[in-house]
Amino acid sequence: MSGQRQGFRPPGTVFASSSTLPLAAASRPGVGHPPFSATGVFTSTAPQRHLNFRMPPLQTQTAEALATLQKLSNEYEPEIEGPLVGKRQSSQAITAEYQNADEIFVRKTAVLPQKYSHYRTVKGDGNCGWRAIAFSYFETLHRIGDKGRILEELTRLKSLNNLLNQAGFAEHLYEDFVQETLNLLSEIAYSLPTSSDDAGLLKAFNDPGISSAIITHFRLLTSAWMKTHVEAYQPFLLEDTVEQYCASQIEPYQVEIEHIGMNALIDALILPAGLAVEILYLDRSVGVEVNSHKFERMDASGAPLNPDAPTFRLLYRPGHYDILYKIEDVAALMSSPTNLQVAYATPVTYGTFQPVPVVPVSSDMSTYLEIPGMSTPFVPVTPSAMSPDTYTSPVSPALSTFSTTTLPLRPVGDIGGFRPSKYELEAEFHPSPMPNLPFQTPTFRNSHFNPAHFRNSDFQPEMWKPDTADSGRGHKDDSSRH
Amino acid sequence: MAGGQKRIGKELAEVTKDPPEGITVSLVSEADIYNWDIQLEGPEDSPYAGGTFKLLLALPTDYPFKPPTLNFKTKVYHPNVSNDDKGSMCLGMLRSEEWKPSSKISGVLRTARNLLIEPNPDDAVETQIAEQYKSSRKDFDKIARDWTKKYAKA
């Protein structure tokens, strides 16, 4: 489990028996990040190790003792460890984290790595939702790898200063925050196309000064956006005016983002950048998979305006956001963001549902992926070109089932001579070019061409064995020959 | 942190050039921009009138992402100032969960002075003083005036 949540104990719980203490701590950062213990229930052990304070029986407490307790409670800061933004890692870790949790979590987290192979922790310090969106915004622009587009974003964000002015923020107070955002954007833009890893972004986001400034900039933007689009957000606020809500929930530095703030942040920052966000909700709701909701630009009828908009994903667990990746996003992040060469292979395994393109192969990386059974010459893969820390296998052996796919294939009769396969494609089948499709077929995942196996020393590729694959006929042939 | 220093410099310039009413600001030491000396004149319509109160405003190194702290160096009888050698002043806007990086120090100082005119007994650090402020205002005013005479007049 991600280190930072392990240390969490809700500070309020030590006083659980007292209803008379209005615990300010309950609104403190960190409390919004309930601890998920391995059993999937909120851990409620008293935080004695933090609060070195032995509680006398309630009835004997004097006002002074209560005041002391209140003071301790007010000053309580949960111990949060770990980097502000962590390294990308296999989402098998999430499965492992929940292996002893209740059935719903086990089921949902078991299938999670099949679709979302990697994830990245974000520190739960009261800013995780903001930080997760901010980091992903930069990372996705970097992944797209289009310098012009990043410079456009830089101009757009600069011009949004007008919105900040309109909302009444003083320029000399916000300009330092905005500057950090612009600096990082231009750093990314000018690092292209040579930089292909996330080291620069990680470094910037783990610098508290830069990270905090960017988050503050985005908070102010969100606040200004809400104040200038009151009609869109007021209906969702029950008691507060938009002005009050921004003052108490958006602008203060350590207040965690709520759903409405998330909406406004996405409206102000992400959608106008031509990006989309998908949030996956891991909770106890009924279902086999995590629920997801995609935030994207839509027309009046609710149809997406740009269904192919580059999308990033967040994993939401009550009170906490982390960043989630699909395997193809990771592949794109791993390869250099220069022009991609896309080759298309004859779909051997996909058949009716999707044609299979060979994964984008960049000229400067020798990551070479191909489909088993193709006659393309095999280019050796240099494992050192991959980041070994991040590219662990997203496929759990237990999970990779050999599902049957419907294929437009028909068995070919014994035609003698060389035949690459006993199956042949229907003549009218043509693959349509579709770039960047995921490699999710069992055949690919279990083949030695999947680079995800590089770190798995126990990996055994599927092999064709003449004895077992076609044993019946083979033996008959053998016997008839003798 | 360079960013924080730049911001503090800007705010110091602003407060020096256009100080809030009844407030004078200077640095404790020229070499240290994180500690500010504040001279606060007791507001006219309060029991603190006629006194000059010395305060220390301390800015954290990660300012403006963390709030400053404000301490009375001059003893003062007030429900929201701790009656000890620290003299901590409890301002809502300085709580870490309420602090906004876009707040200004001049705003903090203005709020502090307003609290002398209008104490907030429901959010008190000195509960007994708050009790007295609510139940027998005259006694409160008298002690506050006496303390002002005793401690806040040079």
Side-chain angles (χ1 to χ4, degrees):
Chain A
M1 106 178 260
S2 50
Q4 75 265 29
R5 269 187 308 276
Q6 228 151 15
F8 275 175
R9 298 293 181 266
T13 47
V14 69
F15 305 123
S17 53
S18 161
S19 56
T20 55
L21 280 172
L23 289 165
S27 65
R28 294 189 73 83
V31 183
H33 306 232
F36 279 97
S37 72
T39 50
V41 293
F42 287 25
T43 320
S44 57
T45 39
Q48 267 107 355
R49 63 196 174 96
H50 303 305
L51 281 185
N52 255 338
F53 188 92
R54 205 162 263 285
M55 242 179 56
L58 271 183
Q59 54 274 29
T60 65
Q61 282 175 17
T62 62
E64 203 172 314
L66 280 172
T68 314
L69 273 176
Q70 179 70 65
K71 192 161 177 293
L72 282 170
S73 149
N74 288 347
E75 287 165 4
Y76 175 81
E77 295 267 356
E79 283 175 25
I80 312 167
E81 285 157 13
L84 294 173
V85 178
K87 283 187 173 177
R88 194 170 49 237
Q89 55 179 305
S90 163
S91 48
Q92 289 292 335
I94 301 176
T95 315
E97 185 181 324
Y98 285 94
Q99 61 187 350
N100 296 321
D102 70 31
E103 202 190 323
I104 296 172
F105 282 117
V106 171
R107 197 164 53 219
K108 287 183 178 179
T109 56
V111 295
L112 189 77
Q114 293 179 321
K115 276 191 187 163
Y116 309 100
S117 62
H118 289 71
Y119 88 118
R120 196 191 281 284
T121 59
V122 179
K123 191 167 179 174
D125 62 351
N127 273 311
C128 63
W130 295 95
R131 210 183 306 274
I133 288 269
F135 183 88
S136 302
Y137 166 74
F138 287 99
E139 191 181 41
T140 309
L141 287 173
H142 182 237
R143 184 180 88 203
I144 299 166
D146 179 347
K147 182 172 164 184
R149 185 166 183 169
I150 298 175
L151 294 178
E152 255 171 52
E153 272 303 287
L154 199 141
T155 313
R156 179 175 75 93
L157 290 190
K158 239 186 227 171
S159 73
L160 279 174
N161 280 0
N162 294 323
L163 193 77
L164 297 178
N165 295 337
Q166 215 179 319
F169 295 114
E171 183 163 3
H172 73 282
L173 293 181
Y174 69 66
E175 63 186 4
D176 299 341
F177 310 134
V178 177
Q179 199 52 51
E180 292 294 353
T181 306
L182 302 183
N183 287 352
L184 190 56
L185 276 176
S186 82
E187 216 173 273
I188 297 174
Y190 292 104
S191 75
L192 292 172
T194 47
S195 104
S196 62
D197 63 7
D198 55 13
L201 261 186
L202 261 188
K203 185 164 172 268
F205 262 83
N206 281 303
D207 176 320
I210 298 175
S211 212
S212 307
I214 293 172
I215 287 169
T216 305
H217 175 206
F218 290 172
R219 280 182 182 271
L220 295 180
L221 261 187
T222 305
S223 168
W225 184 272
M226 287 181 74
K227 287 173 185 170
T228 49
H229 298 77
V230 172
E231 70 294 338
Y233 301 102
Q234 187 62 63
F236 299 101
L237 298 172
L238 298 176
E239 289 165 6
D240 292 346
T241 63
V242 166
E243 190 81 27
Q244 288 165 335
Y245 184 82
C246 290
S248 67
Q249 302 298 318
I250 303 289
E251 293 164 32
Y253 183 63
Q254 290 200 341
V255 178
E256 191 47 87
I257 197 163
E258 292 179 333
H259 189 73
I260 181 166
M262 185 56 91
N263 262 307
L265 172 62
I266 291 172
D267 290 345
L269 181 72
I270 305 301
L271 302 186
L275 309 178
V277 188
E278 195 181 357
I279 300 183
L280 297 112
Y281 299 87
L282 177 56
D283 52 28
R284 265 208 191 73
S285 60
V286 182
V288 198
E289 280 188 73
V290 289
N291 302 312
S292 78
H293 179 74
K294 191 169 179 181
F295 296 80
E296 58 192 328
R297 284 198 136 161
M298 288 184 289
D299 61 18
S301 71
L305 281 174
N306 179 11
D308 299 327
T311 304
F312 61 84
R313 292 165 184 88
L314 303 184
L315 175 66
Y316 178 79
R317 294 178 255 188
H320 188 76
Y321 287 94
D322 288 311
I323 303 169
L324 212 54
Y325 299 88
K326 277 198 162 180
I327 179 95
E328 68 266 31
D329 298 339
V330 177
L333 285 162
M334 305 280 300
S335 69
S336 125
T338 45
N339 289 336
L340 303 172
Q341 303 169 0
V342 181
Y344 297 97
T346 317
V348 177
T349 49
Y350 266 107
T352 51
F353 65 100
Q354 304 262 278
V356 180
V358 166
V359 149
V361 176
S362 63
S363 47
D364 61 330
M365 277 219 6
S366 29
T367 327
Y368 195 86
L369 310 169
E370 68 169 336
I371 300 298
M374 270 188 65
S375 54
T376 328
F378 176 65
V379 178
V381 172
T382 321
S384 63
M386 323 284 301
S387 169
D389 288 339
T390 51
Y391 224 134
T392 48
S393 166
V395 181
S396 139
L399 295 169
S400 49
T401 49
F402 293 80
S403 60
T404 344
T405 47
T406 326
L407 307 167
L409 298 172
R410 55 188 168 80
V412 181
D414 196 353
I415 47 171
F418 173 73
R419 73 173 161 69
S421 163
K422 68 169 176 164
Y423 292 105
E424 199 171 83
L425 276 169
E426 297 286 7
E428 65 275 15
F429 182 81
H430 294 293
S432 57
M434 295 262 292
N436 278 333
L437 280 173
F439 272 103
Q440 293 292 3
T441 59
T443 310
F444 173 73
R445 282 203 306 263
N446 297 302
S447 78
H448 62 293
F449 297 102
N450 184 349
H453 297 304
F454 289 172
R455 301 278 294 165
N456 182 357
S457 53
D458 297 322
F459 174 67
Q460 179 64 36
E462 256 187 290
M463 284 186 290
W464 182 72
K465 289 180 189 143
D467 297 342
T468 52
D470 206 1
S471 51
R473 206 184 60 182
H475 283 281
K476 208 165 79 190
D477 286 352
D478 282 352
S479 56
S480 67
R481 235 176 258 154
H482 287 281
Chain B
M1 216 175 296
Q5 289 185 6
K6 197 170 140 204
R7 160 79 180 258
I8 294 171
K10 277 191 276 191
E11 294 211 54
L12 185 62
E14 186 189 332
V15 175
T16 316
K17 191 171 150 241
D18 181 20
E21 192 194 347
I23 290 170
T24 326
V25 173
S26 60
L27 289 181
V28 174
S29 134
E30 281 300 320
D32 171 15
I33 60 160
Y34 293 104
N35 289 293
W36 296 17
D37 242 338
I38 314 288
Q39 303 279 338
L40 196 154
E41 288 167 29
E44 279 311 315
D45 38 6
S46 77
Y48 309 101
T52 303
F53 298 85
K54 208 181 151 194
L55 286 85
L56 177 72
L57 178 93
L59 298 155
T61 49
D62 40 6
Y63 182 81
F65 305 114
K66 290 278 165 61
T69 53
L70 201 52
N71 296 85
F72 272 76
K73 293 289 144 193
T74 307
K75 226 169 149 50
V76 62
Y77 193 75
H78 192 285
N80 304 102
V81 179
S82 70
N83 183 20
D84 55 20
D85 53 351
K86 288 205 185 80
S88 328
M89 184 171 215
C90 290
L91 284 183
M93 69 184 293
L94 296 186
R95 288 207 186 102
S96 61
E97 70 271 21
E98 284 178 43
W99 173 251
K100 301 175 195 168
S102 54
S103 307
K104 287 199 277 189
I105 297 178
S106 63
V108 171
L109 297 176
R110 233 175 251 127
T111 312
R113 192 162 184 268
N114 282 340
L115 200 61
L116 290 188
I117 303 173
E118 210 174 315
N120 181 1
D122 296 325
D123 192 19
V125 269
E126 293 298 336
T127 43
Q128 280 161 0
I129 300 179
E131 218 34 66
Q132 186 189 40
Y133 177 83
K134 283 202 274 194
S135 57
S136 49
R137 183 67 184 271
K138 269 189 183 161
D139 295 339
F140 168 83
D141 282 354
K142 186 178 181 306
I143 302 177
R145 254 196 308 272
D146 287 350
W147 280 35
T148 305
K149 217 175 275 172
K150 195 169 163 191
Y151 302 110
K153 290 192 177 166

